[in-house]
Amino acid sequence: GAVVSQHPSWVICKSGTSVKIECRSLDFQATTMFWYRQFPKQSLMLMATSNEGSKATYEQGVEKDKFLINHASLTLSTLTVTSAHPEDSSFYICSARDLGGMGTQYFGPGTRLLVL
Amino acid sequence: ILNVEQSPQSLHVQEGDSTNFTCSFPSSNFYALHWYRWETAKSPEALFVMTLNGDEKKKGRISATLNTKEGYSYLYIKGSQPEDSATYLCASLTGANNLFFGTGTRLTVIP
């Protein structure tokens, strides 16, 4: 099956630092990748749609200048949390949709971010 | 934001029991319904993608049905095994190609 990797799996950082999370589709090409965030006891919430070679589309309420997304190739998207603050502590998970899929999204294992 | 609800929130069953849980979603602007199985510390695994009213899909001991007119889907597990323990997520795909997730049903199968 399609495999998506995500690194790092855990990040602990000081307030004010920036954190980069990578999402890679290992065995397929993905023109579209998605970034989700999950707070405790809540559902996965879409943050942004990452489109290869063009700007990401952000959901309402998600600051594009704070959550920088780069999708430079068909197998890699990165999410950078800039100047992270404790309220950014959350579980971030990416997914990728392959070119021929029925809309099935293949997920990475997620990244747990803790900002002190 | 689409309101996708799952019930129950958590469930404990004995090994060998059959079980089912519900996903409800708005029926307007419906495109597809996705089911995922999510084990702790692993990636969510796609189980089913369902699009047509009355659809029924099966994968081993797990099956799902879909009613798009009333906006619900059931997931059934026959003869539950400890390895079935996971969180089962459903998500509704809208015409805008966004997946809206429920909070999941956490299943624990007791040996």
Side-chain angles (χ1 to χ4, degrees):
Chain A
V3 179
V4 174
S5 71
Q6 194 173 332
H7 295 281
S9 55
W10 261 103
V11 183
I12 301 174
C13 69
K14 290 182 180 179
S15 186
T17 59
S18 294
V19 175
K20 182 189 273 190
I21 303 170
E22 289 189 351
C23 178
R24 291 181 186 272
S25 57
L26 298 185
D27 50 3
F28 67 101
Q29 293 181 325
T31 53
T32 305
M33 290 185 173
F34 302 88
W35 287 97
Y36 294 84
R37 181 169 53 182
Q38 185 181 37
F39 291 108
K41 297 190 179 181
Q42 294 186 22
S43 58
L44 291 173
M45 294 293 291
L46 181 66
M47 297 175 66
T49 302
S50 171
N51 303 298
E52 186 265 337
S54 64
K55 290 181 180 179
T57 305
Y58 289 83
E59 294 301 299
Q60 194 173 6
V62 178
E63 298 174 55
K64 63 180 181 181
D65 295 330
K66 181 163 184 68
F67 298 100
L68 300 179
I69 290 172
N70 185 284
H71 192 157
S73 77
L74 284 171
T75 59
L76 173 64
S77 175
T78 60
L79 168 69
T80 301
V81 184
T82 61
S83 187
H85 290 285
E87 57 266 27
D88 299 323
S89 299
S90 187
F91 182 76
Y92 294 85
I93 190 168
C94 69
S95 70
R97 189 168 61 202
D98 69 30
L99 298 178
M102 283 176 62
T104 299
Q105 291 184 24
Y106 301 96
F107 283 84
T111 297
R112 178 83 53 194
L113 171 63
L114 177 61
V115 185
L116 303 175
Chain B
I1 294 179
L2 221 63
N3 195 24
V4 178
E5 295 182 352
Q6 290 187 248
S7 64
Q9 197 171 20
S10 66
L11 190 58
H12 288 71
V13 301
Q14 289 292 137
E15 181 176 353
D17 286 353
S18 294
T19 186
N20 65 84
F21 18 95
T22 307
C23 171
S24 62
F25 53 90
S27 51
S28 60
N29 202 27
F30 173 83
Y31 191 77
L33 194 283
H34 292 230
W35 279 102
Y36 288 87
R37 179 173 175 275
W38 195 2
E39 286 183 76
T40 304
K42 294 187 179 179
S43 303
E45 173 198 352
L47 288 175
F48 305 113
V49 179
M50 308 174 77
T51 56
L52 300 176
N53 185 45
D55 237 356
E56 182 170 341
K57 295 214 171 178
K58 192 174 179 183
K59 188 176 182 178
R61 293 179 291 99
I62 304 176
S63 60
T65 60
L66 179 67
N67 183 320
T68 59
K69 293 185 178 179
E70 295 181 42
Y72 65 83
S73 174
Y74 293 133
L75 189 82
Y76 301 90
I77 302 179
K78 187 177 177 183
S80 303
Q81 299 296 309
E83 57 265 30
D84 296 329
S85 297
T87 297
Y88 291 83
L89 295 175
C90 72
S92 180
L93 183 72
T94 68
N97 265 335
N98 288 348
L99 270 182
F100 292 92
F101 282 85
T103 51
T105 293
R106 189 179 184 93
L107 173 68
T108 303
V109 181
I110 303 162

